[in-house]
Amino acid sequence: MKTTLKVRMSSADAHYGGNLVDGAKILQLFGDVATELLIRHDGDEGLFRAYENIEFLAPVYAGDFIEITGQIIKVGKTSRKMEFIAKKIITARPDINDSAADVLEEPIIVCKAIGTCVVPLDKQRRG
């Protein structure tokens, strides 16, 4: 099972100088994708338990468009192991002007992670 979310980073998401977006924002989006996957798989939002691995690979700036893909890669009795990838698909171009942007021919992977969510047995309605 797989799902995708596309989001534009806003100036409100920028946390550091140069309009750099905090990596925690990407993890928040991974959580949103995980929630959708759990609803589709189990009929319940479940709970995020832990990340095994998180790799921040490229910077994200206000104005960038990010595509987040998540998929369930292993199903246990209550656990759901998931893989997440965030790619920059459009990049802001403030060097040209304040509203310029480019669609990237080749998306840039900005973050990858593996995480585990849990759906208690009494809350599972599908599967």
Side-chain angles (χ1 to χ4, degrees), residues 21-38:
V21 173
D22 191 339
K25 179 64 181 181
I26 303 301
L27 298 184
Q28 177 188 6
L29 296 171
F30 286 170
D32 290 344
V33 168
T35 299
E36 181 180 344
L37 286 167
L38 293 174

Side-chain angles (χ1 to χ4, degrees), residues 53-124:
N53 188 43
I54 302 169
E55 295 179 72
F56 295 103
L57 302 168
V60 175
Y61 299 97
D64 290 344
F65 282 73
I66 305 299
E67 179 181 84
I68 299 92
T69 304
Q71 65 180 344
I72 296 174
I73 57 174
K74 184 177 179 186
V75 176
K77 189 172 183 178
T78 60
S79 65
R80 313 293 180 248
K81 189 173 188 177
M82 301 178 189
E83 176 182 64
F84 304 97
I85 298 175
K87 295 179 182 178
K88 187 185 307 190
I89 57 173
I90 296 174
T91 188
R93 292 295 309 273
D95 56 312
I96 296 173
N97 67 55
D98 60 355
S99 59
D102 287 334
V103 175
L104 298 173
E105 285 186 36
E106 188 68 34
I108 299 168
I109 296 175
V110 298
C111 188
K112 296 191 305 187
I114 301 288
T116 301
C117 295
V118 175
V119 181
L121 284 174
D122 65 333
K123 295 192 177 187
Q124 294 177 21

